[in-house]
Amino acid sequence: MQRRCRAAPHPLPKHDDPAPDRRPVAEENLMAWFPQSALNEGVRKREVFAWAMYDFANSGYTTVVLTAVFNAYFVGVVAGNAQWATLAWTASLAASCALVMLTMPTLGAYADLRALKKRLLAFTTAGCVLSTLALAFVGSGDVALAVVAIILSNTCYAYGESLIAAFLPELARHEALGRVSGWGWSFGYFGGMLSLGLSLGYVLWAQAQGLSAQQFVPVTMIITAAVYGLASLVTFAWLKERARPHPGALADNGLRASLQRLRETWRHARRYRDFVWLLACTACYQAGIAVVIALAAVYAEQVLGFQQAQTMALVFLVNIASALGAFGFGYLQDRLGHKPSLGITLAGWIVMVALAYLATGPGLFWMAAVVAGLCMGASQSAGRALTGVFAPPRHLAEFYGLWTFAVRLAAIVGPVTYGLVTWWTAGDHRLAILSTGLFFVAGLLLLRPVDVQRGRAAAVAE
């Protein structure tokens, strides 16, 4: 995500120079392991920590709401295991993704023009936290309330994911994008594990007391919303908005100027053809990832008979593997290259699908879960970093808005395809997971035309 020329390293202070800025001891201890050389000039370590804290904050939403708890709760309790239940869940996610697709690129262009990334991030964070709290009031038969709250929360989550990603190129040097993105994504999984761990502890206690899912699942929604809201406060306290409003942006109509700018970007898409290929690749492989996020718990419970506590433990393991994958592959990405690293993770996803399809008991499925975790953190972090490589300096939020467009398109196509396959085959989840592998194969094929050096040159030339 390089939108600016590479910054020169900080010079060592001379004896006659003013005393260097003394940062708080707590900050130095917190980020002592973090190399300053990975950051752009003027960026403090605590800003990277604050940026990563947003990944920490919002990961609980995907982990608890979309992956481990509420999805299975929606299918089994809210919709009463109706034949249309899985399709209703995936359709709700699809509706929120469609809304994001229609609005996020323009919102990103608006954020660039007005330098409002941080302010918009605050609004969308509040929206996701409040609508997640609304899920605590959903019980058996409350399908309408559940659908509305899921659409609102997932939409706001996607907005926040895109806006926070647009800060990455402002923080990290070009040659360190993979590492810094991987650090943030890895740290995010620990946030997911915190929310999931607190929820799992409560669920185990509640089940021991003989409480039903309708009694303990709402509390897990409150836990998730609380962690999201509290952890994100660090982001808003320390992360800086470095962008400046574009000349004339404040005088012009914001929406009209944003749409005009977005049209210009599409008109000159040939100049960014490698970014366009990346978007196509992203739309495919993220469709497969979206299936794993949205339906892994459903697959485990419907096919292998997992109980709620087993499913949550499984997702906890996936988060550990994802954290390791994101962290380790961040370094590999900077050393081996963005494209080869992403290709390796997509091959890993194909192996995961094969293992999940062949699993007839917990053992092989747990192995598939570990592979999925390693690939999930790595592939998502790699895509975020590569988008930064192709993004021109003055179009950061806009290009990340387009990246979000591809990710949300994938989040529609993947789960809805899975839902349709289960519907057409009277609940054959094995065939549905096998069809998911085709998305990763297509992603590998669409990655081949991407030329990283050519794409970076186009961004710098702009």
Side-chain angles (χ1 to χ4, degrees):
M1 301 156 220
Q2 314 217 145
R3 26 320 259 105
R4 62 183 82 229
C5 297
R6 174 179 173 178
H10 294 290
L12 294 174
K14 301 176 183 178
H15 292 295
D16 55 349
D17 286 342
D21 176 39
R22 301 297 181 189
R23 295 171 187 166
V25 175
E27 176 191 336
E28 289 299 321
N29 292 337
L30 184 66
M31 301 292 290
W33 61 274
F34 196 97
Q36 185 69 42
S37 60
L39 307 180
N40 286 323
E41 186 173 1
V43 176
R44 299 178 65 174
K45 291 182 180 180
R46 75 175 188 179
E47 287 188 71
V48 179
F49 175 72
W51 175 78
M53 274 299 293
Y54 197 84
D55 277 348
F56 183 95
N58 73 358
S59 291
Y61 175 80
T62 55
T63 302
V64 177
V65 178
L66 300 185
T67 304
V69 179
F70 196 82
N71 52 357
Y73 177 76
F74 179 92
V75 172
V77 176
V78 179
N81 269 321
Q83 195 171 26
W84 46 264
T86 300
L87 182 58
W89 170 253
T90 57
S92 299
L93 298 180
S96 67
C97 294
L99 182 58
V100 173
M101 288 170 57
L102 293 172
T103 55
M104 189 61 230
T106 302
L107 186 65
Y110 180 78
D112 284 331
L113 286 171
R114 298 293 186 98
L116 291 177
K117 295 194 300 294
K118 187 174 178 180
R119 186 178 301 179
L120 291 174
L121 182 64
F123 284 121
T124 58
T125 299
C128 189
V129 169
L130 292 175
S131 48
T132 300
L133 282 174
L135 292 173
F137 298 95
V138 173
S140 177
D142 296 329
V143 176
L145 177 59
V147 167
V148 171
I150 280 294
I151 290 175
L152 288 176
S153 61
N154 201 37
T155 298
C156 290
Y157 167 82
Y159 286 154
E161 181 184 47
S162 180
L163 289 166
I164 196 66
F167 284 92
L168 176 58
E170 296 178 349
L171 301 175
R173 295 177 186 261
H174 168 67
E175 64 273 17
L177 284 171
R179 273 171 287 166
V180 177
S181 179
W183 291 332
W185 216 287
S186 177
F187 193 47
Y189 284 110
F190 288 101
M193 284 187 279
L194 174 62
S195 296
L196 183 62
L198 293 173
S199 298
L200 178 58
Y202 177 77
V203 168
L204 292 174
W205 175 86
Q207 289 180 332
Q209 304 302 311
L211 300 180
S212 66
Q214 289 194 68
Q215 293 171 300
F216 61 71
V217 167
V219 177
T220 66
M221 299 298 101
I222 296 173
I223 292 172
T224 302
V227 172
Y228 194 163
L230 292 174
S232 66
L233 294 178
V234 179
T235 302
F236 299 113
W238 284 348
L239 185 62
K240 294 181 180 178
E241 175 70 81
R242 284 182 160 75
R244 294 292 180 267
H246 288 217
L250 298 179
D252 295 337
N253 177 278
L255 179 59
R256 183 177 60 191
S258 301
L259 289 172
Q260 289 174 346
R261 176 169 178 161
L262 191 59
R263 282 196 296 269
E264 285 295 310
T265 300
W266 279 115
R267 194 192 314 176
H268 297 101
R270 286 186 179 180
R271 188 187 308 168
Y272 309 113
R273 60 184 179 275
D274 294 293
F275 178 64
V276 173
W277 278 114
L278 175 65
L279 291 181
C281 170
T282 298
C284 286
Y285 80 77
Q286 287 282 5
I289 293 176
V291 170
V292 176
I293 292 174
L295 295 158
V298 175
Y299 186 89
E301 293 185 16
Q302 295 292 325
V303 177
L304 301 172
F306 276 42
Q307 300 301 310
Q308 185 77 67
Q310 289 177 290
T311 302
M312 295 176 74
L314 178 75
V315 175
F316 199 87
L317 174 66
V318 170
N319 272 262
I320 295 174
S322 297
L324 295 174
F327 186 85
F329 266 82
Y331 285 89
L332 178 65
Q333 187 173 355
D334 288 335
R335 289 179 175 273
L336 185 61
H338 298 284
K339 181 178 175 179
S341 300
L342 182 56
I344 290 172
T345 68
L346 297 185
W349 276 115
I350 296 172
V351 172
M352 184 283 300
V353 169
L355 291 174
Y357 174 76
L358 295 173
T360 56
L364 196 58
F365 192 72
W366 280 81
M367 186 182 301
V370 172
V371 175
L374 291 171
C375 294
M376 185 179 298
S379 54
Q380 291 182 307
S381 175
R384 178 168 70 174
L386 190 51
T387 298
V389 172
F390 292 158
R394 290 167 58 86
H395 298 263
L396 297 185
E398 181 182 343
F399 267 56
Y400 274 103
L402 294 172
W403 172 70
T404 300
F405 178 95
V407 172
R408 292 302 129 183
L409 174 62
I412 294 175
V413 174
V416 169
T417 299
Y418 187 101
L420 288 173
V421 171
T422 59
W423 185 39
W424 289 336
T425 60
D428 191 340
H429 286 267
R430 289 189 182 278
L431 184 58
I433 198 66
L434 186 62
S435 68
T436 301
L438 298 176
F439 290 119
F440 298 116
V441 173
L444 265 177
L445 295 176
L446 290 169
L447 182 63
R448 292 189 63 186
V450 174
D451 186 320
V452 176
Q453 296 302 321
R454 183 178 60 195
R456 176 58 188 162
V460 172
E462 189 278 341

